[in-house]
Each structure stands twice: as C-alpha cells, then as structure tokens.
Amino acid sequence: MTMTEATMMCMCLLLLQLSITFFVFMCCVGNGNARITSAFVRSEFPSVDIPLDNKVFAVPKGYNAPQQVHITQGDYDGKAVIVSWVTTDEPGPSKVQYGTSEKTYDYTAEGTTTNYTFYKYQSGYIHHCLVDGLEFDTKYYYKIGSGNSSQEFWFQTPPEIDPDAPYIFGIIGDLGQTYNSLSTLEHYMHSEGQTVLFLGDLSYADRYQYNDVGVRWDTWGRFVEQSAAYQPWIWSAGNHEIEYMPYMGEVLPFKSYLYRFPTPYAASKSSSPLWYAIRRASAHIIVLSSYSPFVTYTPQWLWLAEEFKRVNREKTPWLIVLMHVPIYNSNEAHFMEGESMRAAFESWFILNKVDIVFAGHVHAYERSYRISNIHYSVSSGDPYPVPDESAPVYITVGDGGNQEGLAGRFRDPQPDYSAFREASYGHSTLEIKNRTHAFYRWNRNSDGKQVSTDSFVLHNQYWASKLGSRKLKKHRLGDLIGWTAPY
C-alpha cells in the first residue's frame, strides 16, 4: 500500500467515525435523551435601570425634534409600514416624506396625532403615519419633522411573498432598559436580523409610580430607536403593559402601550390591536394576547379560528406563533401560568402544523422538543406531555435584560420535554433558508460578548408531511453540518 493510499484510507475511516458519532448524537436528541440544563453562571451588569442622564436616553437637539421613532409592518403582506414618533413642543407636521434615494423624497404620507395622560403625566404628541403602496425588497429613506430639527432614517421592505424567500427574524422578549438590556440590543444590532419579533414586556415602566411611569416610557422609546427606526418591530403585549394602577386612578388596561405602539390588526380582520397576524417573506406570523380573553367564543378565539383558515402554506410555509406567557415552561418562575392557553389552543397548533411558538415572560431561556399534551382531560388520558412529531417547538426567550433580573430556579429534574435551558440574558435569530429548512440560534450575552449557545436546524412542518421526513432530510443534508440535530 502506498503512502497516498494509506492516507486516503485513514481519512475515510475518520469520516466514517465522525458520521457514526453524528448519527448517534442525532438519535439521542431525537429520542429526548440529550436534555441540557446549562451550568453557566453569568457575570454581567446589575439589574438596575440605566440612569436618566445616560446618553442612550438622549433627547435629540432642536426645537420639536422627532424622538422615539419606531416602525412596524403596516399591512398584511409587507408592502406598508407604520412610522411612529413623538414631538414635545408642539404637534408639528404629522407627515412622512420618503423615497428610494437618500435625501430625495418623492412621496409624502399624512398621519395622525394623539396624546394621553397617565396620572398627572402628559405625553408628548404621538404621531402614527401609514406609508403604503411600497415595493417589495426595496430600501426606502424617510424624513420626519421640519426645518433643522428634522430626522432622517431608512428601512428595507421584505421580499415578495414566496415559499422560498429567505429571511432572518430576531426574537427579543422582556427587554426593559438596564445595561443588560443595552447589551442585548447592541448584540442583536450586530446580527443579520431584518425584523424583530417582540414577545412582550417592553419598558417595565409599570415598576415606577406616578409621573415616572410616563417618563420611563419616553426613555424606552428613545432607547430602542437605534434599531426600531430602521427595521420593523412586530409587537406583542405582556403583563407589564397592563398598568392597572387604581391607586393612581389608572384602570384602563394597556393604555400607554396602545397609544404608543400601533399594529396592523385590521389588515388581518382582528377586532383588537392586541392580537393580529402578518405575512412576511415566507412566514405567516400570528400574534396572540395572553392577557385578553381567549376561551371558546371570545373575540380572540373566534379570530384565531378564522386566521388559521387564511394560512396558505404553499405561499408562506413557515407558521410562527408569538405569545407572552409560555405554555411549556420548567422554570419555577411563572410555572403553569400558560396552562389555560395551552388547553385552549394547543390542539389547533398541532392541527395546523405550527412550526414554532415563541414566548417570553420567564426571564430565562428554554427550548422544548416537539411534544404535546392534547389527550388529557379531567377524567382520562395521559397527563404528561409526550413526543409528537406534528407539534411545534416551544421556545422561551424572556431574557432581554429587564430590572427584575433572571429567573434562575429551574425545576429538578429537568422534564423530558425540555431540550435546553439556561438563565442568562440574550436574544435569538431565526434564519429561514427556504420552504423546508430554517436555522435557529440563541445568543447569550456572555461578559458583554455575544455567544451562540443553542442552535438547531428546523424542518418545516408542512413540507415534512408533504414530502415525507426522509426526503426532507435529504433535501438540504449539507446544511446540517455543524448544527444540532434537526427537528
């Protein structure tokens, strides 16, 4: 045997060994035998809000300069945005000038202005302007305000609705406005995320009292502008948006949130801005409200039943659900709080082949296997979650960095349905590659650095059932190298 032949044989044996190792690892993961509770202990910033005089809350210079600028999708399919901002000295013009060339604004859209009081706090003038009739996959520049105080920004529209349209979503929840929040936001901004799916609990202003509640909404608006003015943030509401404060005379739920953060709910025939749906690139995204009625015959229940009928997996194969309270959670914090919504909607998620359900609320990270608990009733059935290939993956990303700190107490032993869990701050990205495969990453804020800690390949539920799991795995086998076993 020559030296070259011996070298090639050694290489073949090495590749065979690696293949066997990878196969065994995938089998273990698929059978639920690779549950991980991370032992990582963070050494991060204290969980206190950033002082008001910090530069991240700086008020823009100039008379009546627009501030707290953010955008969200403005229609069902991604050809419109809603631009929102605040002016403080006077209402000023509520219009957006925009175009496809920098500093050349060929079009103008007119918006509306509103304001509100909260206790004795008086909000600034809140502007919302729908910019519609946009072209897909186009960079737009826009200008708001007037004179020397005007502000200029840009955004990119998504590709046309198509089953193979690639797209990258960022996932952030329970952000707040601490130094840990800033670390999460800065790390996300260095990712390739194109749109944020926000899982509720925005400013944590409700942890303050009296006029400071409104003040901390203003600081949070200026805080997230560095990202939210340039790409859509898809909003969902959490418990910290309720702001039920009768001792201050404030009893209208979601008052500050609803004044400040519009959603395109009417485009999906919803009766409330708290639950709605959008389509973007190759994804159909459903936003649910954990703190609005959702049992049988309520408006949210009726709307969701109809929205599932409107989903067309041939056009938008990726079906994603957002909610605030997780329906699978093995942390001591908020344990079982999502059980009522699970009982209401889990069977629908499985019937409609939802790919992934994102939630926040618990200030930690956790990912499940594909499991379900739809056969249990008060009189019969298996009372425990069981492996279910037709079920979604459930992921909790409530680790944005707010002042309440981390939820570090997980239940022991780790349940069979829990694949990975860790109490650290961070954010996630979901990179859709085509109609069959997506890459998911959870990125930990580790000592001020972004560390990709949990990742896997996600197989599309609709196409898995249509092509068969074996053909689907072969469809993009090369993409699996270096990734956790696929779902």
Side-chain angles (χ1 to χ4, degrees):
M1 180 182 297
T2 66
M3 182 67 69
T4 301
E5 290 173 333
T7 302
M8 290 183 64
M9 180 174 292
C10 288
M11 290 179 64
C12 289
L13 289 172
L14 179 61
L15 287 172
L16 178 61
Q17 184 178 5
L18 287 171
S19 299
I20 293 172
T21 303
F22 181 65
F23 175 78
V24 171
F25 173 70
M26 288 176 62
C27 288
C28 289
V29 172
N31 290 322
N33 295 323
R35 302 189 307 276
I36 297 173
T37 298
S38 172
F40 176 81
V41 178
R42 74 179 185 98
S43 55
E44 268 288 354
F45 312 110
S47 296
V48 294
D49 278 351
I50 299 172
L52 293 174
D53 60 357
N54 191 283
K55 64 180 181 180
V56 298
F57 299 145
V59 177
K61 295 180 180 179
Y63 176 79
N64 213 38
Q67 59 171 272
Q68 306 176 49
V69 184
H70 55 270
I71 65 174
T72 192
Q73 185 161 315
D75 65 354
Y76 200 48
D77 287 340
K79 295 187 71 175
V81 297
I82 302 171
V83 182
S84 302
W85 70 96
V86 173
T87 54
T88 57
D89 298 306
E90 61 175 271
S94 187
K95 67 179 181 180
V96 175
Q97 298 172 273
Y98 63 101
T100 56
S101 299
E102 191 171 6
K103 297 188 181 301
T104 301
Y105 306 107
D106 299 322
Y107 311 101
T108 300
E110 293 289 340
T112 60
T113 305
T114 187
N115 60 5
Y116 72 99
T117 59
F118 198 89
Y119 184 60
K120 296 180 180 180
Y121 163 84
Q122 177 71 51
S123 77
Y125 302 98
I126 302 171
H127 303 257
H128 301 303
C129 184
L130 176 66
V131 180
D132 58 3
L134 303 174
E135 298 295 324
F136 284 120
D137 203 15
T138 301
K139 187 173 185 178
Y140 285 90
Y141 299 86
Y142 70 100
K143 177 181 177 181
I144 53 178
S146 58
N148 295 331
S149 300
S150 62
Q151 301 266 42
E152 297 174 296
F153 306 93
W154 57 264
F155 62 86
Q156 178 86 22
T157 54
E160 188 172 359
I161 300 296
D162 183 88
D164 287 311
Y167 205 74
I168 303 176
F169 292 100
I171 302 96
I172 299 175
D174 301 70
L175 186 58
Q177 43 193 306
T178 70
Y179 288 103
N180 292 308
S181 314
L182 179 59
S183 178
T184 296
L185 185 58
E186 289 177 339
H187 289 155
Y188 169 70
M189 290 173 62
H190 283 91
S191 77
E192 296 180 347
Q194 297 167 279
T195 290
V196 170
L197 306 180
F198 196 87
L199 305 174
D201 284 1
L202 287 69
S203 68
Y204 284 77
D206 69 331
R207 289 179 60 82
Y208 292 83
Q209 293 182 320
Y210 306 110
N211 289 353
D212 288 339
V213 176
V215 169
R216 278 298 180 171
W217 272 112
D218 289 331
T219 56
W220 195 81
R222 295 194 291 272
F223 173 64
V224 299
E225 179 182 291
Q226 57 190 298
S227 171
Y230 297 93
Q231 62 175 246
W233 283 40
I234 308 305
W235 304 109
S236 61
N239 55 297
H240 285 281
E241 280 69 72
I242 298 174
E243 294 185 331
Y244 179 74
M245 299 177 172
Y247 68 94
M248 293 165 47
E250 295 295 344
V251 295
L252 181 63
F254 304 106
K255 182 177 181 180
S256 301
Y257 171 80
L258 292 174
Y259 268 98
R260 292 171 180 267
F261 298 96
T263 64
Y265 69 98
S268 58
K269 298 180 172 57
S270 168
S271 60
S272 169
L274 297 173
W275 59 85
Y276 62 99
I278 62 169
R279 305 196 305 176
R280 197 165 184 88
S282 51
H284 193 121
I285 299 162
I286 293 175
V287 179
L288 298 179
S289 177
S290 298
Y291 298 100
S292 301
F294 53 77
V295 297
T296 308
Y297 308 129
T298 59
Q300 186 171 196
W301 185 92
L302 291 168
W303 170 82
L304 183 58
E306 292 301 312
E307 183 61 27
F308 273 130
K309 296 176 184 177
R310 287 191 284 268
V311 176
N312 184 344
R313 304 299 283 274
E314 294 289 329
K315 292 183 177 180
T316 51
W318 293 97
L319 184 52
I320 301 166
V321 173
L322 312 182
M323 60 179 62
H324 185 62
V325 179
I327 64 176
Y328 284 101
N329 163 40
S330 68
N331 200 295
E332 292 288 355
H334 306 301
F335 183 65
M336 294 285 287
E337 283 186 21
E339 184 63 11
S340 53
M341 185 169 272
R342 185 201 64 76
F345 292 147
E346 185 181 22
S347 61
W348 289 8
F349 295 165
I350 294 169
L351 177 65
N352 291 281
K353 302 185 185 301
V354 170
D355 292 292
I356 193 163
V357 177
F358 288 112
H361 198 41
V362 179
H363 301 164
Y365 172 76
E366 184 168 16
R367 168 174 58 87
S368 79
Y369 294 109
R370 292 196 185 277
I371 42 87
S372 69
N373 191 11
I374 58 175
H375 302 296
Y376 175 69
S377 70
V378 293
S379 59
S380 63
D382 191 341
Y384 302 105
V386 296
D388 189 339
E389 288 296 321
S390 61
V393 177
Y394 295 91
I395 300 183
T396 300
V397 192
D399 52 357
N402 67 83
Q403 64 165 267
E404 290 182 340
L406 291 167
R409 294 179 57 216
F410 287 104
R411 296 176 67 85
D412 188 34
Q414 184 173 1
D416 290 342
Y417 65 76
S418 175
F420 185 97
R421 56 187 190 173
E422 179 177 308
S424 293
Y425 297 118
H427 76 277
S428 297
T429 55
L430 178 67
E431 181 179 358
I432 296 174
K433 304 297 287 186
N434 50 45
R435 73 184 66 194
T436 60
H437 288 75
F439 293 164
Y440 170 85
R441 297 178 180 90
W442 174 62
N443 304 285
R444 176 207 297 150
N445 304 344
S446 177
D447 298 321
K449 300 177 182 179
Q450 174 182 302
V451 178
S452 183
T453 306
D454 183 37
S455 58
F456 66 94
V457 176
L458 184 68
H459 285 159
N460 184 268
Q461 287 285 65
Y462 174 78
W463 284 97
S465 63
K466 190 167 184 176
L467 296 177
S469 59
R470 182 169 296 181
K471 289 182 180 179
L472 186 67
K473 289 178 181 178
K474 289 181 179 179
H475 189 66
R476 283 289 186 270
L477 186 59
D479 292 339
L480 304 183
I481 303 300
W483 287 81
T484 303
Y487 281 75

